[in-house]
Amino acid sequence: MSLEVIKNGNPFGAHRVIEPRDVLPQPAQKIDNNLSRIWDNELLIDVQFLNIDSASFTQIKNDVGADDEKIKARILEIVGDRGKMHNPVTGSGGMLIGTVNTVGEKLKETCPLKEGDRIVSLVSLSLTPLAIEEILEVKKETDQVKVKAKAVLFENSLYAKLPEDMPETLALAVLDVCGAPAQTARLVKQGDTTVIIGAGGKSGILCAWEAKRRAGVTGRIIGVEYSDAGVASLKALGICDDVVKLDASDALTCYDTISALTDGKLADVIINCVNIENTELASIMMCRDKGVVYFFSMATSFTKAALGAEGIGKDVDMIIGNGYTAGHAEIALNVVRESNDIRKMYEKLYV
């Protein structure tokens, strides 16, 4: 079947929005995922893997249980209803690995990709038109889903060619959270005390490594983990100066613990990487006045963070986790290139 090509697509993908009108693809309730046709400024991708956002995958598992077929059904339901993998509860998506099928005619002069190139998307599945023919496998431990599917990326969409020096599923896992270590590199300064909530998770480990590099020998990195296993694995890596077991939804205990560790000074920077709700106040309370709280977690509530800080009279700068930072892909990939211990751990988990 020949592919229909339509001219003059919007560079931000607004031509794919079905409802409501006059919004962009990410906030849209439904977008056009008819991929038997593309606009001349789109890339058509044959998709092999989806990396579902951690908050989204956790929500789905909590809702339907651990049964693979029920998870598959929920993913297909979401994509069928919305035209994209945009979890209606968490509002988040994920990213994909695929092979370039077609480069739109309008893009050929400016796009460095060619048909057959292997790429990973660096924009959310919550805005990416996606049509799934079949879900082949669900990898619950890594939030990855093997699929037979197609997707399109827009003229302004971000992507990266898959690196040749590591397995694809490892690159996908790292690039899925590449905004976090890149923002950490921007926020953490020499001598800073930095608390990383969820420091033993996929994004947390990368943040801890980058924070240690930026804070230097005069800085201090405190890793917060919820489970005994998380504490043990984080200690084994040796990238945090202190590792503490805390429930980040228990704001008072978190505050008391970090206050005691820092002689009441608290942290200069807080980085929240966990995928559960109600961790906003703990993040804010562990931070010193005029410090910085970076919410990378998609489970964060802006309302709880803003009103919570006001309620306790805390003057901190709060940053929403932007998934894009200039150079974010290379910063994240370089962590696993530079640390053999982190690479071995990630290969065990994601390859």
Side-chain angles (χ1 to χ4, degrees), residues 22 28 32 47 53 56 81-82 84 99 108 110 112-113 128 169 171 180 191 208 231 245 252 257 289-290 300 334 343:
D22 302 320
D32 176 7
V47 183
D53 170 77
S56 175
D81 181 55
R82 312 200 75 170
K84 53 182 178 171
T99 305
K108 287 185 176 178
T110 58
L113 298 176
T128 303
T169 49
V231 168
K245 181 183 176 182
L252 289 173
T257 302
D289 279 342
K290 304 293 175 42
T300 302
N334 282 339
R343 178 163 183 154

Side-chain angles (χ1 to χ4, degrees), residues 213-280:
R213 184 213 306 270
R214 303 291 169 170
V217 295
T218 59
R220 186 179 185 184
I221 311 303
I222 302 172
V224 172
E225 261 299 321
Y226 176 75
S227 68
D228 290 330
V231 168
S233 63
L234 191 55
K235 284 182 176 179
L237 284 174
I239 54 177
C240 294
D241 299 292
D242 303 275
V243 178
V244 291
K245 181 183 176 182
L246 289 170
D247 178 354
S249 64
D250 183 349
L252 289 173
T253 300
C254 287
Y255 168 76
D256 289 340
T257 302
I258 299 305
S259 181
L261 273 176
T262 60
D263 295 324
K265 295 178 181 179
L266 302 176
D268 300 291
V269 181
I270 305 290
I271 299 170
N272 186 328
C273 297
V274 296
N275 59 11
I276 60 171
E277 297 180 341
N278 300 317
T279 64
E280 294 84 2

Side-chain angles (χ1 to χ4, degrees), residues 301-320:
S301 164
F302 170 79
T303 304
K304 291 177 182 177
L307 298 183
E310 177 185 292
I312 61 173
K314 197 77 171 184
D315 182 2
V316 296
D317 293 330
M318 293 186 286
I319 298 176
I320 296 172

Side-chain angles (χ1 to χ4, degrees), residues 96-221:
L96 61 83
I97 276 181
T99 305
V100 176
N101 177 298
T102 305
V103 179
E105 196 64 34
K106 187 177 177 181
L107 289 182
K108 287 185 176 178
E109 293 183 3
T110 58
C111 178
L113 298 176
K114 61 183 184 299
E115 294 175 6
D117 280 346
R118 298 282 290 156
I119 66 167
V120 56
S121 68
L122 298 180
V123 292
S124 175
L125 292 174
S126 68
L127 60 83
T128 303
L130 176 67
I132 300 177
E133 182 179 331
E134 184 182 3
I135 296 179
L136 303 173
E137 183 182 1
V138 173
K139 299 183 177 182
K140 293 190 290 290
E141 299 79 11
T142 61
D143 305 338
Q144 292 179 351
V145 181
K146 187 176 182 180
V147 297
K148 185 176 182 181
K150 285 188 174 0
V152 295
L153 298 180
F154 304 124
E155 184 176 341
N156 281 12
S157 294
L158 301 170
Y159 56 81
K161 283 189 177 182
L162 283 165
E164 296 181 357
D165 59 344
M166 63 185 70
E168 290 183 352
T169 49
L170 173 60
L172 179 60
V174 172
L175 291 171
D176 179 43
V177 294
C178 62
Q183 287 283 3
T184 299
R186 176 182 292 179
L187 295 172
V188 177
K189 304 294 189 294
Q190 187 171 6
D192 277 351
T193 294
T194 302
V195 171
I196 301 171
I197 307 173
K202 180 167 62 174
S203 58
I205 288 171
L206 300 178
C207 290
W209 174 269
E210 197 61 41
K212 187 67 175 174
R213 184 213 306 270
R214 303 291 169 170
V217 295
T218 59
R220 186 179 185 184
I221 311 303

